[in-house]
Amino acid sequence: MKLMKSVATEMESVSAPPQDTRSWKVAMRTKNIAKKDIESKGDDVLTHAKDSEEGGHLLGRKSMLVGMLTSGFVVATVAHPSSSMAAGTIKPAPVAATSPTYISVRSYGAVGDGVTLDQAAINAAITANPGRDIHLTAGSLGTVVYQIDANYAGGKGIRLNQPGTQLVLDPGVTIRVNPNALGRYAAITVTAADCSVSGGAIVGDLGSHTGTTGEWGHGIDIQDAAHRCKVQGVHISKCWGDGIIICDTASSYTTGAKPADVSIIDVVSDGNRRQGMSIITALRPRVIGGTFMNTGGTDPQAGIDIEPNPGGLQDVIDFSVIGAVMQGNAGRGLTVHAQGRTARGTVQGVRSIGNTYEGFSTESTAEVEFVGCTANGNKNYGFTVQTATSARNVFTGCTAEANTQLGFCLPTWAEAIGCNARNNGWAGFYLSGSGTATSCTATGNNTASTYYGQFAIEDGTAARMVGCLSSVGTNAAQPTKGFEVKSGSTGSRIISCDTIGTFTGGSFVDGGTVTSAFPIPGAPKPTGVPVTVAAVHAALCSLGAICA
């Protein structure tokens, strides 16, 4: 306002006619034009100069001056520049904490002291600013805890219900769930499209939960209409249920509604009670990077569980999990259990390490392609397709190493291509039904049990191994059989397979019926008869073709 008055004063200074009447008339005409422009544009200029919550101006004097110059002030002010407008003295004001693109929840009453319940203030900021960036700021201390009541049924928790809203947890910010006895809650619930949650941490009440029932206390709950939701760079821990759950709603169960193109990127889900993450129903969900670890407390206790509920209309269609890590979970690392519905997708470059059960598992009507995945040190199998599975599952270029039991379990509908099994406790590759292994290598397995050969077929019905290699390896406890077909198997085919090293129990042990093995793995290769001119001549003579 001082700048406005200064400029107005300068304009008044041209009211008295100078000696040069012609110049005075030009100046006065310019003044009148500028005055009209001020009246029409003054409100707009003042709006942009609105004070922030800290008293700073949104735009500095320099920005106001530019607006005035474009309104026709240039002639009136060039002749008599005021000191406040001299070159080099106009400085922009500091950026406000709340602006058209940056909304601080503190402007709506959030405290962030770890005691005050802040969910109402956070939700007020979201409601008042649809489609904008809502920041949970860390303040001058650099670390802040926003305590929240997460009772979703009670209308609480943080709710992303305005399309396009981006909830940003600044570095050092934690959202913490207030202790409760609820069987179901959500720290953040996403119900609108094109929303995101990024940065910071979410901490549940697992260590202070006062109830004993339920298993659905989640960190982030992504629901039916949350299309294109993105969760990125968030650390989620100690939730009574899952770190993240995608669409476990009554409406999705009865109508088949599902969110499309949800992205979970570089998330750490650590020490939650039921799952690191569950995907119940979704179209093209993507999980890229991140770690899902130390889940434990109530089943299934997996790192990631992709599992529609049985009996309803939920499906997980064309999912992808890329480059993530599953580690130290009390259940499986990554499991896909279709429950008779559709659960179809790709798992690529994922590592499953030190989980209590299988590193990777599929079941029922799950249809999954695994590419370049690693299962290491799991306390059951590395990779398994459950025997009741009725859809095709393929493992390409995957490695199972140092798992307590089997490396790969491949029943009907399962195929391993170019995979490696090393130093597992039982067989490297175990086939049943019509399972298939092609161009696979097993080395140094059977470290805990020699009941199976490194490549084993049991209860096979046309199981097949093609171009596979079984190597004794260098472990103190070595496999005793290179390839083995157990009794009860029929129609097994072992084609172009071979062994390296001495297997004390035999390179090839056949206890099945109607087994085809060509050549016999480990058998000496025929050398044939040396070909000479005399031998050829003798053969032709014996046929009566030539004899001279």
Side-chain angles (χ1 to χ4, degrees), residues 302 304-306 319 331-338 347 352 357-364 366-368 370 375 381-387 389 393 395 409:
I304 294 179
D305 184 359
I306 301 172
F319 69 83
R332 293 161 173 159
L334 186 149
T335 181
V336 184
H337 190 349
V347 179
S352 197
Y357 290 98
E358 294 91 347
F360 300 88
S361 174
T362 67
E363 194 167 351
S364 184
E367 184 178 356
V368 186
F370 297 85
Y381 303 167
F383 298 85
T384 185
V385 176
Q386 303 293 333
T387 54
T389 301
N393 289 266
F395 304 90
C409 180

Coordinates of all heavy atoms in Angstrom, one line a residue, residues 302 304-306 319 331-338 347 352 357-364 366-368 370 375 381-387 389 393 395 409:
A302 N 2.7 -62.1 5.2 CA 3.6 -62.0 4.0 C 4.1 -60.6 3.8 O 3.7 -59.6 4.3 CB 2.7 -62.4 2.7
I304 N 4.3 -59.3 0.5 CA 3.2 -58.8 -0.4 C 2.2 -60.0 -0.6 O 2.7 -61.1 -1.0 CB 3.7 -58.3 -1.7 CG1 4.5 -57.0 -1.5 CG2 2.5 -58.0 -2.7 CD1 5.0 -56.4 -2.8
D305 N 1.0 -59.8 -0.4 CA 0.0 -60.9 -0.7 C -1.0 -60.3 -1.7 O -1.7 -59.3 -1.4 CB -0.8 -61.2 0.6 CG -1.8 -62.3 0.5 OD1 -1.9 -62.9 -0.6 OD2 -2.4 -62.7 1.5
I306 N -1.1 -60.9 -2.9 CA -2.1 -60.6 -3.9 C -3.2 -61.6 -3.8 O -2.9 -62.8 -4.3 CB -1.4 -60.5 -5.3 CG1 -0.2 -59.5 -5.2 CG2 -2.4 -60.2 -6.4 CD1 0.6 -59.5 -6.5
F319 N -1.2 -57.1 -12.9 CA -0.3 -56.5 -11.9 C 1.1 -56.6 -12.3 O 1.5 -57.5 -13.1 CB -0.6 -57.1 -10.5 CG -0.1 -58.5 -10.3 CD1 1.2 -58.8 -10.0 CD2 -1.0 -59.5 -10.4 CE1 1.7 -60.1 -9.9 CE2 -0.5 -60.9 -10.3 CZ 0.8 -61.1 -10.0
G331 N 5.7 -65.1 7.3 CA 5.0 -65.9 6.3 C 5.8 -66.0 5.0 O 7.1 -66.2 5.1
R332 N 5.2 -65.9 3.9 CA 5.9 -66.0 2.6 C 6.4 -64.6 2.2 O 6.0 -63.6 2.8 CB 4.9 -66.5 1.5 CG 4.5 -67.9 1.8 CD 3.3 -68.3 1.0 NE 3.0 -69.7 1.1 CZ 1.8 -70.3 0.9 NH1 0.8 -69.5 0.6 NH2 1.6 -71.6 1.0
G333 N 7.4 -64.6 1.3 CA 7.9 -63.3 0.8 C 6.8 -62.7 -0.1 O 6.3 -61.6 0.3
L334 N 6.5 -63.3 -1.2 CA 5.5 -62.8 -2.1 C 4.6 -64.0 -2.5 O 5.1 -65.0 -2.9 CB 6.1 -62.2 -3.4 CG 5.1 -61.5 -4.3 CD1 5.8 -60.3 -5.0 CD2 4.5 -62.4 -5.3
T335 N 3.3 -63.8 -2.3 CA 2.3 -64.9 -2.5 C 1.2 -64.3 -3.4 O 0.7 -63.2 -3.2 CB 1.8 -65.5 -1.2 OG1 0.9 -66.5 -1.6 CG2 1.1 -64.5 -0.4
V336 N 0.8 -65.1 -4.4 CA -0.4 -64.8 -5.2 C -1.4 -66.0 -5.1 O -1.1 -67.1 -5.6 CB 0.0 -64.6 -6.7 CG1 -1.2 -64.2 -7.5 CG2 1.2 -63.6 -6.8
H337 N -2.5 -65.7 -4.4 CA -3.5 -66.7 -4.2 C -4.8 -66.2 -4.8 O -5.4 -65.4 -4.2 CB -3.7 -67.0 -2.7 CG -4.5 -68.2 -2.3 ND1 -5.3 -68.8 -3.3 CD2 -4.7 -68.8 -1.2 CE1 -5.9 -69.8 -2.7 NE2 -5.6 -69.8 -1.4
A338 N -5.2 -66.8 -5.9 CA -6.3 -66.2 -6.7 C -7.7 -66.6 -6.1 O -8.6 -65.9 -6.5 CB -6.2 -66.7 -8.1
V347 N 6.1 -60.7 -12.1 CA 7.0 -60.3 -11.0 C 8.4 -60.4 -11.6 O 8.9 -61.4 -12.1 CB 6.9 -61.4 -9.9 CG1 7.9 -61.0 -8.8 CG2 5.5 -61.4 -9.4
S352 N 13.6 -62.3 -2.6 CA 12.9 -62.8 -1.4 C 13.9 -63.4 -0.5 O 14.4 -64.5 -0.9 CB 11.7 -63.7 -1.8 OG 10.8 -63.8 -0.8
Y357 N 8.5 -69.0 5.4 CA 7.9 -70.0 4.4 C 8.6 -69.7 3.1 O 9.7 -69.4 2.9 CB 6.4 -69.9 4.5 CG 5.8 -70.4 5.8 CD1 5.5 -69.6 6.8 CD2 5.7 -71.8 6.0 CE1 5.0 -70.0 8.0 CE2 5.2 -72.3 7.2 CZ 4.9 -71.4 8.2 OH 4.4 -71.9 9.4
E358 N 7.8 -69.9 2.0 CA 8.3 -69.8 0.7 C 8.8 -68.4 0.3 O 8.2 -67.4 0.8 CB 7.3 -70.3 -0.4 CG 7.0 -71.8 -0.3 CD 5.8 -72.1 0.6 OE1 5.4 -71.1 1.4 OE2 5.3 -73.2 0.6
G359 N 9.8 -68.3 -0.5 CA 10.2 -67.0 -1.0 C 9.1 -66.5 -2.0 O 8.7 -65.3 -1.9
F360 N 8.6 -67.3 -2.9 CA 7.6 -67.0 -3.8 C 6.6 -68.1 -3.9 O 7.0 -69.3 -4.0 CB 8.1 -66.7 -5.2 CG 9.1 -65.6 -5.3 CD1 10.5 -65.8 -5.1 CD2 8.7 -64.3 -5.6 CE1 11.4 -64.8 -5.1 CE2 9.7 -63.2 -5.7 CZ 11.0 -63.5 -5.4
S361 N 5.3 -67.8 -4.0 CA 4.3 -68.9 -4.0 C 3.1 -68.4 -4.8 O 2.7 -67.3 -4.8 CB 3.8 -69.2 -2.6 OG 2.7 -70.1 -2.6
T362 N 2.5 -69.3 -5.7 CA 1.3 -69.1 -6.3 C 0.3 -70.2 -6.0 O 0.7 -71.4 -5.7 CB 1.5 -69.0 -7.9 OG1 1.9 -70.2 -8.4 CG2 2.5 -67.9 -8.2
E363 N -1.0 -69.9 -6.1 CA -2.0 -70.9 -5.7 C -3.3 -70.6 -6.4 O -3.6 -69.5 -6.8 CB -2.2 -70.8 -4.2 CG -2.9 -72.0 -3.6 CD -2.8 -72.0 -2.1 OE1 -2.0 -71.3 -1.5 OE2 -3.5 -72.9 -1.5
S364 N -4.1 -71.7 -6.5 CA -5.4 -71.7 -7.1 C -5.3 -71.3 -8.6 O -4.6 -71.9 -9.4 CB -6.3 -70.7 -6.3 OG -7.7 -70.7 -6.8
A366 N -4.1 -68.6 -9.9 CA -3.1 -67.5 -10.1 C -2.3 -67.8 -11.4 O -2.0 -69.0 -11.7 CB -2.1 -67.5 -9.0
E367 N -2.0 -66.8 -12.2 CA -1.3 -66.9 -13.4 C -0.2 -65.9 -13.4 O -0.5 -64.7 -13.7 CB -2.2 -66.7 -14.6 CG -1.6 -66.9 -16.0 CD -2.5 -66.8 -17.1 OE1 -3.7 -66.6 -16.9 OE2 -2.1 -66.8 -18.3
V368 N 1.0 -66.3 -13.2 CA 2.1 -65.3 -13.0 C 3.3 -65.7 -13.8 O 3.7 -66.9 -13.9 CB 2.5 -65.3 -11.5 CG1 3.5 -64.2 -11.2 CG2 1.2 -65.1 -10.6
F370 N 7.4 -65.1 -13.6 CA 8.5 -64.6 -12.8 C 9.7 -64.5 -13.7 O 10.1 -65.5 -14.3 CB 8.7 -65.5 -11.6 CG 7.6 -65.7 -10.6 CD1 6.6 -66.6 -10.9 CD2 7.6 -64.9 -9.5 CE1 5.5 -66.7 -10.0 CE2 6.5 -65.0 -8.6 CZ 5.5 -65.9 -8.8
A375 N 15.4 -66.1 -4.8 CA 14.9 -66.6 -3.5 C 16.1 -67.1 -2.8 O 16.8 -68.1 -3.2 CB 13.9 -67.7 -3.7
Y381 N 10.5 -73.4 0.8 CA 11.0 -73.5 -0.6 C 11.4 -72.1 -1.1 O 11.0 -71.1 -0.6 CB 9.8 -74.0 -1.5 CG 9.2 -75.3 -1.1 CD1 8.0 -75.8 -1.7 CD2 9.9 -76.2 -0.2 CE1 7.5 -77.0 -1.3 CE2 9.3 -77.4 0.1 CZ 8.1 -77.8 -0.4 OH 7.6 -79.0 -0.1
G382 N 12.2 -72.1 -2.2 CA 12.5 -70.9 -2.8 C 11.3 -70.4 -3.7 O 10.8 -69.3 -3.5
F383 N 10.9 -71.2 -4.6 CA 9.8 -70.9 -5.5 C 8.8 -72.1 -5.5 O 9.3 -73.2 -5.7 CB 10.3 -70.7 -7.0 CG 11.2 -69.5 -7.2 CD1 12.6 -69.7 -7.0 CD2 10.7 -68.3 -7.6 CE1 13.4 -68.6 -7.1 CE2 11.6 -67.2 -7.7 CZ 13.0 -67.4 -7.5
T384 N 7.6 -71.9 -5.4 CA 6.6 -73.0 -5.4 C 5.3 -72.6 -6.1 O 4.8 -71.4 -5.9 CB 6.3 -73.5 -4.0 OG1 5.5 -74.7 -4.1 CG2 5.6 -72.5 -3.1
V385 N 4.8 -73.5 -6.9 CA 3.4 -73.4 -7.4 C 2.7 -74.5 -6.6 O 3.0 -75.7 -6.7 CB 3.4 -73.7 -8.9 CG1 2.0 -73.7 -9.4 CG2 4.2 -72.6 -9.6
Q386 N 1.7 -74.1 -5.9 CA 0.9 -75.1 -5.1 C 0.3 -76.1 -6.0 O -0.1 -75.8 -7.1 CB -0.1 -74.4 -4.2 CG 0.5 -73.4 -3.3 CD 1.4 -73.9 -2.2 OE1 1.2 -75.1 -1.8 NE2 2.3 -73.2 -1.7
T387 N 0.1 -77.4 -5.5 CA -0.3 -78.5 -6.4 C -1.8 -78.2 -6.9 O -2.1 -78.8 -7.9 CB -0.3 -79.8 -5.7 OG1 -1.0 -79.7 -4.4 CG2 1.2 -80.2 -5.4
T389 N -2.9 -75.5 -8.1 CA -3.0 -74.4 -9.0 C -3.4 -74.9 -10.4 O -3.0 -75.9 -10.9 CB -1.6 -73.8 -9.1 OG1 -1.2 -73.3 -7.9 CG2 -1.6 -72.6 -10.1
N393 N 2.1 -71.0 -14.7 CA 3.1 -70.1 -14.0 C 4.5 -70.5 -14.6 O 4.8 -71.6 -14.6 CB 3.0 -70.4 -12.5 CG 1.7 -69.8 -11.9 OD1 1.7 -68.7 -11.4 ND2 0.7 -70.6 -11.9
F395 N 8.7 -69.6 -14.6 CA 9.9 -68.9 -14.0 C 11.0 -68.9 -15.0 O 11.4 -69.9 -15.5 CB 10.3 -69.8 -12.8 CG 9.2 -70.0 -11.8 CD1 8.4 -71.1 -11.9 CD2 9.0 -69.1 -10.7 CE1 7.4 -71.3 -10.9 CE2 8.0 -69.3 -9.8 CZ 7.2 -70.4 -9.9
C409 N 9.6 -75.9 -6.8 CA 8.6 -76.9 -6.8 C 7.6 -76.6 -8.0 O 6.9 -75.6 -8.0 CB 7.8 -76.8 -5.5 SG 6.5 -78.0 -5.3

